[in-house]
Each structure stands twice: as structure tokens, then as C-alpha cells.
Amino acid sequence: MTRDDISRGEAQRLRGLTEAARATRTFEILADSGALWVWGDEDEVLFSEDGERRTLLPIWPHATVARMENEGEVDGEHPIRITTEAFLNQWLPQLEEDEANIAIFPVEDRNAAVITLAEFRSRMTAALRLN
């Protein structure tokens, strides 16, 4: 396990939280750890779509929960760590060009929340101030 990993038991506990609690806890963890996790391989990051075919970038608060959600899907894919600073300053502008939203901590195809980039920036900035 890396320093960003948690036990599978702790990951299962987080996965079992209500959607609202998963979203709130995600921002607390991101502010505390200074990083978030996406899923992909050496060449690209995995995106999904909502029911209205809008592009979503799924993010997770720990590598372990990302792995539990995606393991066994495609060989070579793995959790990818992104610092919150890089996400806010580099990723969000690119996601804006792609007209993507953020899917917070999906579990079994149920997102804790789907939020706009502006809402993500606002909630992340608030969480960082509280930390």
C-alpha cells in the first residue's frame, strides 16, 4: 500500500456511506491528503457519461476505493494520483474546454454527486480553507 492507500475494510466503510456523506467526506479527504484519484492507463484517463450524455470525470478520495470500483475491467488500467493543486490549476481549465462535469466517488454506478467544475472549485477551495 502507498501512503495514499487505505485498507480494503476502510474503503468498504467509505463505499457504504450515503451519497451525501460520501461527497462531503471526499472533499474532507482531498483537503487533508492534497490529492485525488482518477482511473486510467498510461495514455488516457477514464471518463463516463450521465443519462443526458454529458461527459463526466469520476474522481475518488483514495486509490483503494478507485481500485475497488474498477478492478478487473481492463488490463493496464490503474488509479492515477493528481494533486489537488494540479487538478484546480491544470485539469479544471482543460475539463472546461471539454465541457465535462465531475462525478464524485462513484460506487456501483451511483455517483455521490455530479457537480459542475465551478461547484467543484468552490467546494474544494472551502474545504482547503477549513483544513
Side-chain angles (χ1 to χ4, degrees):
M1 278 196 302
T2 69
R3 66 181 181 83
D4 295 305
D5 271 346
I6 56 174
S7 71
R8 288 183 74 86
E10 177 65 8
Q12 198 57 42
R13 188 189 68 72
L14 288 172
R15 288 169 48 95
L17 294 174
T18 66
E19 291 168 358
R22 274 199 334 265
T24 297
R25 190 70 187 115
T26 295
F27 282 99
E28 293 168 352
I29 293 166
L30 300 186
D32 185 50
S33 70
L36 58 85
W37 295 85
V38 296
W39 190 259
D41 61 23
E42 301 308 318
D43 298 318
E44 61 187 10
V45 170
L46 174 77
F47 285 82
S48 62
E49 288 184 340
D50 65 10
E52 297 170 13
R53 302 194 54 82
R54 288 179 295 216
T55 301
L56 303 175
L57 175 64
I59 67 162
W60 292 270
H62 294 287
T64 306
V65 291
R67 199 175 295 114
M68 288 175 77
E69 187 63 23
N70 295 287
E71 64 191 348
E73 300 234 349
V74 177
D75 283 345
E77 290 185 349
H78 53 86
I80 299 168
R81 184 180 190 273
I82 304 166
T83 66
T84 52
E85 182 179 336
F87 194 80
L88 289 170
N89 297 325
Q90 297 163 11
W91 284 66
L92 286 186
Q94 180 59 51
L95 291 168
E96 194 164 31
E97 286 181 27
D98 296 338
E99 298 181 9
N101 286 327
I102 308 284
I104 305 292
F105 198 161
V107 171
E108 298 174 5
D109 295 326
R110 289 183 352 267
N111 299 313
V114 173
I115 60 175
T116 66
L117 304 178
E119 185 179 353
F120 180 89
R121 181 180 299 279
S122 174
R123 288 184 72 176
M124 191 70 248
T125 301
L128 288 167
R129 271 194 294 254
L130 292 173
N131 192 21

